[in-house]
């Protein structure tokens, strides 16, 4: 049994806000500025290693947010002030949830599932307070906890989190197809981890169906289901099915990124003409969030590994995946990496019998070089 102090709903033993020297020693910290203890877990249920995991995972990220949320609330003398105080508390709680969720997701992305669990539990704790224990807002957090627990080899705990998510979805009559899609993806990945590949394919097929119903047949939201199905077929040595699905994944991302690149150029042109900074920022955010960039990068790198090193080598598909990956790096402002991957795509495309993609890859390289010249 592993106890996660910060993620625990009990608050009885650890304090927040210590100096960096004490943090390294994992002694019992305290709020230096106000000397207010903020407790997290009973000492008998935790040891130094667990406290260290909590500190690295989430504690150090949210110290400054906890006192206004967990500390005594001021006494207001008017209804207007009480309303303002409640709204301010809600904003602080939502900010804390966002930090905890992004921290947990970052650990999962970086291959540190065990460190993600305390942060996700903290997000769950405050989301339950804000939205209620049966709210559909909790489903993505339960799915993240299940993913992290599965990655850490704790399948029993992952199953419990998935059951909670499934129960909420079943109790929500107007639950969106998008959320149901994510649930089936989580169930599919868990089934695959258990070795039940037929059940995994069933859930992932439902993921694709529901994502298609919500976002459309050619949306990148569908790509994750295809990608995980392709991995299973590859594992089963069903290369025709795996090849077809990997191709679909590359195609969906490639087409979406080409559209994103076109919108990006329109924004740059509008900025040059009228400099609408606030509008540009909104379009840019809609186009490429950190989560979407990370998801696309991980999928395309995995597809490239199969194409370049495995039995499904296909120069044309490899060039398309490289082109897509270069666009992700460019839109994410990693220009050096974009140039490196873009040149690989261009060199490979020159060797193909049909060189239709040379023009679009060459145009991307021109954009990259132009931006590099402005930054040097």
């Amino acid at each position: 049994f592993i106890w996660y102090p910060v993620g625990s709903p009990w608050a009885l033993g650890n304090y927040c806000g210590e100096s960096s020297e004490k943090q390294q020693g994992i002694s019992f910290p305290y709020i230096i500025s106000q000397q207010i203890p903020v407790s997290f877990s009973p000492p008998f249920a935790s040891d130094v290693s667990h406290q260290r995991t909590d500190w690295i995972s989430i504690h150090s990220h949210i110290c400054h947010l906890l006192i206004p949320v967990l500390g005594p609330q001021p006494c207001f003398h008017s209804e207007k002030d009480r309303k303002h105080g409640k709204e301010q508390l809600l904003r602080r709680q939502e900010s804390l949830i966002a930090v905890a969720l992004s921290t947990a997701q970052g650990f999962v992305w970086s291959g540190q599932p065990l460190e993600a669990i305390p942060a996700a539990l903290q997000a769950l704790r405050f989301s339950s307070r804000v939205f209620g224990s049966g709210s559909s807002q909790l489903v993505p957090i339960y799915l993240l906890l299940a993913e992290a627990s599965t990655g850490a080899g704790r399948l029993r705990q992952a199953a419990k989190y998935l059951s909670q998510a499934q129960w909420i979805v079943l109790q929500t009559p107007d639950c969106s197809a998008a959320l149901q899609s994510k649930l089936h993806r989580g169930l599919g990945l868990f089934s695959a981890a258990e070795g039940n590949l037929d059940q995994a394919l069933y859930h992932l097929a439902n993921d694709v169906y529901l994502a298609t119903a919500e976002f459309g047949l050619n949306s990148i939201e569908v790509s994750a289901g295809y990608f995980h199905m392709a991995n299973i077929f590859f594992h089963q040595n069903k290369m025709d099915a795996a090849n077809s699905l990997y191709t679909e994944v590359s195609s969906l991302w490639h087409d979406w990124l080409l559209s994103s690149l076109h919108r990006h150029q329109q924004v740059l042109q509008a900025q040059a003409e009228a400099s609408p900074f606030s509008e540009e920022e909104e379009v840019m955010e809609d186009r490429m969030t950190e989560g979407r960039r990370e998801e696309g990068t991980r999928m395309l790198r995995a597809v490239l590994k199969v194409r370049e090193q495995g039995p499904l080598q296909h120069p044309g598909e490899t060039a398309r995946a490289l082109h897509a990956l270069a666009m992700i790096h460019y839109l994410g402002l990693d220009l050096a990496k974009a140039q490196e991957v873009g040149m690989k795509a261009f060199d490979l495309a020159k060797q193909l019998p049909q060189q239709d993609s040379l023009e679009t890859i060459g145009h991307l390289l021109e954009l990259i070089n132009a931006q590099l010249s402005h930054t040097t």
Side-chain angles (χ1 to χ4, degrees):
F1 175 74
I2 299 295
W3 185 274
Y4 297 101
V6 177
S8 169
W10 292 279
L12 299 171
N14 213 6
Y15 303 109
C16 185
E18 63 177 348
S19 65
S20 59
E21 292 83 1
K22 289 187 177 182
Q23 290 170 14
Q24 297 302 318
I26 314 297
S27 57
F28 293 98
Y30 54 92
I31 298 296
I32 295 174
S33 60
Q34 302 182 39
Q35 301 292 316
I36 300 173
V38 178
S39 49
F40 291 98
S41 66
F44 63 82
S46 176
D47 60 21
V48 170
S49 65
H50 298 156
Q51 291 178 28
R52 188 184 305 277
T53 299
D54 288 340
W55 182 265
I56 294 170
S57 171
I58 187 61
H59 196 155
S60 60
H61 299 275
I62 62 173
C63 279
H64 63 291
L65 299 172
L66 284 169
I67 292 301
V69 172
L70 296 179
Q73 298 301 308
C75 181
F76 299 107
H77 300 290
S78 69
E79 183 61 30
K80 180 180 178 181
D81 289 341
R82 279 193 292 272
K83 183 179 179 181
H84 175 73
K86 287 182 179 179
E87 291 173 351
Q88 188 178 49
L89 177 61
L90 178 61
R91 286 194 297 270
R92 287 169 173 170
Q93 289 173 323
E94 289 175 341
S95 176
L96 195 154
I97 291 167
V99 171
L101 262 180
S102 63
T103 301
Q105 186 66 76
F107 278 119
V108 170
W109 285 338
S110 63
Q112 299 173 278
L114 195 61
E115 285 77 5
I117 295 173
L121 285 172
Q122 192 75 349
L124 179 64
R125 173 190 181 187
F126 283 96
S127 294
S128 298
R129 289 186 178 187
V130 173
F131 305 112
S133 60
S135 170
S136 60
Q137 299 274 1
L138 272 61
V139 172
I141 306 176
Y142 278 123
L143 295 177
L144 183 59
L145 278 164
E147 183 181 358
S149 299
T150 301
R154 309 187 187 283
L155 298 185
R156 197 171 175 183
Q157 190 62 47
K160 293 180 181 180
Y161 291 133
L162 286 170
S163 294
Q164 288 284 350
Q166 199 167 19
W167 183 85
I168 292 174
V169 169
L170 290 172
Q171 297 297 313
T172 308
D174 58 345
C175 184
S176 68
L179 195 57
Q180 294 180 62
S181 167
K182 290 180 179 179
L183 173 62
H184 277 286
R185 190 179 311 156
L187 291 167
L189 294 176
F190 176 75
S191 298
E194 283 191 312
N196 191 344
L197 300 186
D198 289 339
Q199 185 73 7
L201 289 170
Y202 166 80
H203 285 299
L204 292 171
N206 276 287
D207 168 24
V208 170
Y209 172 78
L210 290 162
T212 300
E214 181 79 10
F215 302 106
L217 184 63
N218 297 319
S219 65
I220 56 169
E221 285 80 6
V222 182
S223 65
Y226 285 142
F227 174 72
H228 295 304
M229 291 177 73
N231 290 338
I232 291 174
F233 285 129
F234 185 84
H235 179 77
Q236 293 176 324
N237 205 31
K238 297 179 180 179
M239 295 306 172
D240 288 342
N243 180 63
S244 176
L245 290 171
Y246 282 134
T247 298
E248 189 65 26
V249 170
S250 299
S251 177
L252 288 171
W253 278 98
H254 183 266
D255 293 347
W256 182 80
L257 286 162
L258 279 176
S259 298
S260 296
L261 187 63
H262 178 66
R263 290 196 300 271
H264 176 67
Q265 290 177 267
Q266 289 179 324
V267 167
L268 292 180
Q269 184 178 355
Q271 181 185 10
E273 294 173 357
S275 194
F277 179 77
S278 59
E279 255 183 63
E280 177 198 359
E281 187 174 33
E282 182 179 346
V283 174
M284 293 280 284
E285 182 179 355
D286 178 65
R287 187 189 67 252
M288 179 67 74
T289 63
E290 180 187 358
R292 181 158 288 182
R293 182 167 62 247
E294 180 67 27
E295 180 185 34
T297 300
R298 289 173 59 145
M299 281 192 209
L300 290 168
R301 282 178 176 169
V303 171
L304 276 172
K305 186 175 180 180
V306 171
R307 294 297 188 194
E308 293 177 335
Q309 303 174 14
L312 297 179
Q313 295 183 21
H314 190 298
E317 291 301 324
T318 302
R320 178 156 59 174
L322 285 167
H323 184 198
L325 192 57
M327 286 189 282
I328 284 186
H329 290 312
Y330 172 72
L331 293 170
L333 300 181
D334 189 348
L335 300 180
K337 194 68 178 177
Q339 186 181 52
E340 176 190 343
V341 178
M343 283 303 303
K344 286 180 66 177
F346 189 79
D347 291 341
L348 185 57
K350 286 193 297 186
Q351 303 172 25
L352 299 176
Q354 295 181 336
Q355 301 184 352
D356 302 339
S357 60
L358 270 180
E359 183 178 352
T360 54
I361 299 174
H363 178 61
L364 173 64
L365 288 170
E366 289 174 5
L367 293 175
I368 295 169
N369 292 330
Q371 193 141 346
L372 280 171
S373 67
H374 287 311
T375 56
T376 54

